[in-house]
Amino acid sequence: MSDEVSEQAAEQRLIGRRDELQALRASADAKAQAMLAPMCAGIGGAVALVKFEISPTATVLLGLAAVAASAALITTLLVLLPRLGRPAVGLVRWARMSATEHAAEARAGLSVDELARHVARLSRIVPRKFRLLQLAGWLLIATTALVAASLLA
């Protein structure tokens, strides 16, 4: 009985961790989507300002700002880029399954080991997304500073 209870307790803990990681992953994706518009505006603004007669220093600063904003955009898009994984797991595997296979798997449920593997995979994805978002944020700060400096030059 205690093995069954501990197995059920482990399963519940893993389900809780999985749900928390999925919520964090969704949060990272939402933050990345929210950052896209300011980045595009920053790139467009830097390009628009270059068309005016400005000092060579301001031109260089705006060019650097456009590069930083472009790097932030690429970094943010990497957060949103789907990672399909190996064909044996997740979405790619499910797409290849028949309705009968889906039903059989749903009835069988996930074993604690399978659930643990899923949690471990999510545990690698979520911090990576947040590290990329942090880098994109710093690049946006640099973009803002460069645009501000170009306006003063």
Side-chain angles (χ1 to χ4, degrees), residues 11-57:
E11 182 179 1
Q12 288 306 310
R13 283 192 298 274
L14 285 169
I15 288 171
R17 288 177 188 170
R18 181 198 59 197
D19 293 347
E20 183 177 351
L21 287 165
Q22 287 174 332
L24 286 169
R25 183 175 61 180
S27 170
D29 289 347
K31 288 175 183 182
Q33 290 170 359
M35 290 174 74
L36 287 176
M39 282 179 228
C40 293
I43 295 169
V47 170
L49 287 173
V50 170
K51 293 183 178 181
F52 293 102
E53 287 190 32
I54 55 176
S55 71
T57 303

Side-chain angles (χ1 to χ4, degrees), residues 63-137:
L64 291 172
V67 169
S70 297
L73 178 64
I74 290 167
T75 303
T76 302
L77 290 174
L78 287 173
V79 172
L80 296 172
L81 186 71
R83 304 280 179 181
L84 296 177
R86 298 180 312 253
V89 297
L91 180 63
V92 176
R93 179 172 160 263
W94 297 333
R96 294 179 177 164
M97 290 170 59
S98 69
T100 306
E101 291 169 320
H102 278 289
E105 187 173 282
R107 283 187 196 95
L110 287 176
S111 72
V112 170
D113 291 337
E114 290 169 320
L115 196 54
R117 281 191 295 275
H118 185 64
V119 167
R121 188 167 153 254
L122 284 173
S123 296
R124 289 186 298 275
I125 292 170
V126 172
R128 179 183 167 275
K129 284 181 177 271
F130 279 102
R131 279 192 301 273
L132 287 169
L133 281 174
Q134 187 178 38
L135 175 59

